[in-house]
Amino acid sequence: MLRWALIFLVVAIIAGVLGFSGIAGAATGIAQILFFVFLILLVISLIMGAMRGRG
């Protein structure tokens, strides 16, 4: 999932440089959403791993 966030980030940067503001905005939004989803899943995974390790 982090890979997709990075791909959309690169697409947004390239589109922004070339002047496609609509595409850049959409790709930036998608990359941002995927990044936060990945971050939430990471935190959940760390919490579950810590709880499993204590038992």
Side-chain angles (χ1 to χ4, degrees), residues 33-47:
I33 290 169
L34 289 176
F35 174 76
F36 284 119
V37 168
F38 174 76
L39 193 62
I40 290 169
L41 290 175
L42 173 70
V43 170
I44 291 171
S45 175
L46 289 174
I47 291 171

Side-chain angles (χ1 to χ4, degrees), residues 20-34:
F20 301 114
S21 59
I23 296 172
T28 302
I30 293 170
Q32 193 173 24
I33 290 169
L34 289 176

Side-chain angles (χ1 to χ4, degrees), residues 7-29:
I7 288 171
F8 279 111
L9 178 64
V10 170
V11 168
I13 291 171
I14 292 171
V17 168
L18 295 177
F20 301 114
S21 59
I23 296 172
T28 302

Side-chain angles (χ1 to χ4, degrees), residues 48-55:
M48 296 302 272
M51 290 175 67
R52 190 177 313 161
R54 291 184 185 179

